[in-house]
Amino acid sequence: MGIFNRKSAGGRKKPTTGFSELNRRTYEASPTGRTGQIDPTNTVGYAGNPNAKKQSRRRGADLGFKPQESLSDYSRRGQQQKYAAARKAQDKKKRKKKIIIIVCSILGALVAAGAIAFGIISCNLNAGMGNIGLTPTSLDKPFYMVLMGVDSSDVRKAESGGDDSDYRSDSMILARVAANEKKVTLMSIHRDIEMDMGGEYGVQKINASHSIGGPELVIKNVSKLAGVPINHYAEINFDGFTAAVNDLGGVDVNVPIEINDPEAGGYVPAGPQHLNGQEALILARSRHAYDAYGDGDKFRAANQRMLLSAIAQKALDSDIMTIAQTVMDMSGYIKTDLAINDMIGLAQLMKGLNPAKDVYTAMTPTQGVYKNGGWYEELDEVEWKAMMKRMDAGLPPNEEPYIDPATGTVMSTSGSGDWEGTVSVKNGSGVDGAAASASLKIIALGFTATTGNADKDNYSKTLIIYKDDDKEDAAEAIADKLGCGRVQQNDGDYDFDTDILVIIGLDFE
């Protein structure tokens, strides 16, 4: 936008300068006059025309230059202007400095707040984690860690007036973590294993360790049982487990059977499910849903390992901010000797872990016996030592996976095989356990498999149906492993959510 100059009604008039003799002599005597410049501040020559000075300035502007003031550097006005300019520059520097101070103060406050929050979270996580008998080691080397699920919550503690140390363990897992190799082994320890607590307590079930002697006694007894040093410890209650699952947006698992267990907290349908925190907790706690099938504790432990694998996969697939937020939200419900940066660092090292291949699961080999007025679990010492030898070497505790044929519950995994993907195995032969038996072979290849019944039980031939072109080779590998089956691409006649559908026929042996 330009500068708009007003014109008088009669057009532009030539300004009258009124340059008198007196003014001429003043001009010649002035420093400005000697340079040949007119002093526009001298109003003497404008006496006859009050607008002449204004017109002269306008004319100068029309010619593209600004009239210059003739002020000696030594005049009062000149000194005032220099002072004003200096003061203005000084004020500007002061304002800039003030802004920098304010910004630095804000940043300092944020850093301080972050440090305080970090300290609070660390205190929550490490509360009660003094000298509890852990053996120090580096996180970049394979280490053993005890994972404890305690049957407490804020509601339970409010009702009883106790704290987490007053509760027994609902879950006890010995984990071997090889972060650099991206391998994890989860070994569930049966809670009813007979254990000599020593002193006044004598022989007890191992899950009483927590209520009797807290983390220190748990670590001592697990180390004695397994014959390995315990390097780290983590304990989580019901609220923390629920919060973790919810923070991750839920987890995807295959629920083996329908869970309708009021003592565990409610109902969860069977089949592939996306579970929120409360639903996952019901599945993790339920054992009476399996009363008709055998030892409910073993089935519950298997489901807990399945859930932990799903949680690990979801967490490791998340960005670092989600992982950090999950740790922050869980800080009030978890106790561990690990620092926050250790946990985040481990998560970064473990990124890329594939639970189907890289997580081995198993449970202590025990047999129930009745004595001293109660049921206990006794270890099969020979099998247990063989399993721990394999585990300590970084191998799966069991050479082959095992799925309970009656319920389809995955009781152990060996992570073998290089294939990836999901497979739905349906029993169409009418032979009990056929789908479970076939799924074992499929899991051994590296796939994640779920089992169920087909729409009918008189398929004469096994069908292996894949969705996408890039799954044809995987389907062929399954046919080779089963030793039977016709491979075909889905033409729309079959409805399934997995990568591959296997319908077991009478030709499967």
Side-chain angles (χ1 to χ4, degrees):
M1 183 180 289
I3 299 175
F4 295 92
N5 296 320
R6 290 182 182 174
K7 294 184 180 180
S8 63
R12 180 174 294 176
K13 288 177 65 178
K14 183 177 181 181
T16 303
T17 60
F19 200 66
S20 65
E21 178 65 22
L22 176 61
N23 198 37
R24 182 183 62 77
R25 285 197 295 269
T26 304
Y27 162 74
E28 290 177 349
S30 71
T32 315
R34 287 193 295 271
T35 64
Q37 296 177 342
I38 297 174
D39 180 4
T41 64
N42 190 334
T43 59
V44 178
Y46 296 97
N49 184 359
N51 294 321
K53 177 181 177 182
K54 187 184 297 184
Q55 291 171 340
S56 177
R57 284 182 175 168
R58 185 184 299 147
R59 189 176 180 189
D62 290 341
L63 293 173
F65 66 88
K66 182 179 179 182
Q68 299 182 20
E69 289 197 48
S70 176
L71 286 176
S72 169
D73 289 342
Y74 302 101
S75 69
R76 178 178 295 176
R77 189 173 178 187
Q79 290 297 320
Q80 287 175 342
Q81 287 194 354
K82 287 182 65 178
Y83 173 77
R87 181 65 179 268
K88 186 177 181 180
Q90 188 176 13
D91 288 345
K92 188 175 181 181
K93 287 182 179 179
K94 284 184 177 180
R95 284 196 302 272
K96 186 176 181 181
K97 186 176 181 181
K98 189 175 182 180
I99 291 170
I100 292 172
I101 291 172
I102 291 171
V103 171
C104 289
S105 298
I106 293 172
L107 290 174
L110 289 173
V111 171
I116 292 170
F118 189 89
I120 291 172
I121 294 168
S122 296
C123 288
N124 287 340
L125 288 170
N126 304 137
M129 294 291 104
N131 182 11
I132 55 175
L134 295 171
T135 302
T137 190
S138 173
L139 291 177
D140 60 358
K141 296 179 180 179
F143 63 85
Y144 284 96
M145 182 174 190
V146 172
L147 305 175
M148 289 281 294
V150 182
D151 59 353
S152 73
S153 66
D154 288 344
V155 173
R156 283 191 170 194
K157 285 185 283 187
E159 290 174 349
S160 66
D163 58 27
D164 284 341
S165 62
D166 297 324
Y167 294 88
R168 295 193 175 204
S169 58
D170 207 45
S171 171
M172 185 182 294
I173 295 176
L174 174 63
R176 182 185 187 273
V177 180
N180 283 348
E181 301 170 19
K182 294 180 173 42
K183 298 288 184 184
V184 176
T185 304
L186 300 175
M187 175 71 75
S188 293
I189 297 173
H190 201 297
R191 68 178 197 157
D192 293 339
I193 288 177
E194 187 179 37
M195 199 76 178
D196 187 356
M197 303 288 174
E200 61 180 299
Y201 297 105
V203 175
Q204 300 276 347
K205 295 178 179 180
I206 195 169
N207 76 322
S209 302
H210 189 266
S211 59
I212 291 173
E216 186 172 3
L217 187 56
V218 171
I219 290 164
K220 178 182 177 181
N221 285 339
V222 172
S223 179
K224 179 180 177 181
L225 181 75
V228 295
I230 307 302
N231 311 112
H232 296 288
Y233 176 89
E235 172 186 314
I236 188 171
N237 65 17
F238 291 168
D239 293 332
F241 182 86
T242 302
V245 175
N246 285 337
D247 276 349
L248 294 170
V251 292
D252 297 307
V253 295
N254 180 46
V255 182
I257 65 170
E258 178 184 70
I259 304 295
N260 191 1
D261 188 348
E263 290 190 30
Y267 174 82
V268 178
Q273 304 292 335
H274 181 79
L275 304 182
N276 62 26
Q278 187 59 39
E279 293 165 336
L281 181 62
I282 293 170
L283 179 59
R285 293 187 61 201
S286 178
R287 57 181 175 133
H288 292 298
Y290 290 89
D291 285 346
Y293 302 99
D295 185 349
D297 282 311
K298 292 182 179 180
F299 289 103
R300 176 171 65 175
N303 287 336
Q304 289 170 351
R305 296 191 301 271
M306 174 181 66
L307 283 164
L308 283 178
S309 296
I311 290 170
Q313 183 170 29
K314 194 70 177 287
L316 294 174
D317 287 344
S318 303
D319 57 78
I320 193 66
M321 293 304 295
T322 300
I323 295 171
Q325 185 63 49
T326 302
V327 172
M328 289 174 66
D329 289 346
M330 290 176 61
S331 65
Y333 311 114
I334 189 171
K335 293 180 181 179
T336 179
D337 66 295
L338 290 170
I340 296 173
N341 56 333
D342 289 335
M343 287 188 280
I344 294 174
L346 274 173
Q348 290 176 313
L349 280 174
M350 299 294 286
K351 270 192 170 296
L353 174 144
N354 178 3
K357 295 195 301 180
D358 302 323
V359 178
Y360 311 140
T361 66
M363 187 168 187
T364 48
T366 61
Q367 182 67 40
V369 295
Y370 186 83
K371 61 181 182 181
N372 301 326
W375 283 96
Y376 290 86
E377 293 289 320
E378 287 187 347
L379 271 175
D380 181 330
E381 296 286 352
V382 175
E383 186 178 354
W384 174 236
K385 287 181 180 179
M387 291 175 71
M388 282 306 306
K389 184 176 180 180
R390 289 178 58 82
M391 184 173 176
D392 202 39
L395 299 173
N398 294 318
E399 293 185 16
E400 295 290 336
Y402 177 69
I403 298 176
D404 177 66
T407 64
T409 304
V410 179
M411 306 302 286
S412 69
T413 61
S414 59
S416 55
D418 296 323
W419 292 97
E420 295 181 11
T422 55
V423 181
S424 178
V425 185
K426 303 295 185 181
N427 189 353
S429 68
V431 178
D432 289 343
S437 178
S439 66
L440 287 177
K441 296 177 179 290
I442 293 169
I443 290 172
L445 292 172
F447 295 102
T448 300
T450 59
T451 60
N453 290 321
D455 58 335
K456 57 183 182 179
D457 59 5
N458 58 352
Y459 282 85
S460 59
K461 299 291 185 182
T462 296
L463 301 178
I464 303 168
I465 305 148
Y466 63 94
K467 279 185 177 179
D468 303 322
D469 292 339
D470 60 353
K471 297 299 180 182
E472 183 177 2
D473 289 343
E476 292 286 357
I478 291 173
D480 290 341
K481 187 69 173 178
L482 296 180
C484 63
R486 184 175 75 241
V487 175
Q488 65 186 63
Q489 189 167 19
N490 189 15
D491 56 5
D493 289 343
Y494 301 92
D495 183 21
F496 55 97
D497 296 327
T498 54
D499 297 321
I500 297 171
L501 170 66
V502 176
I503 301 176
I504 300 299
L506 291 170
D507 58 340
F508 174 73
E509 296 179 359

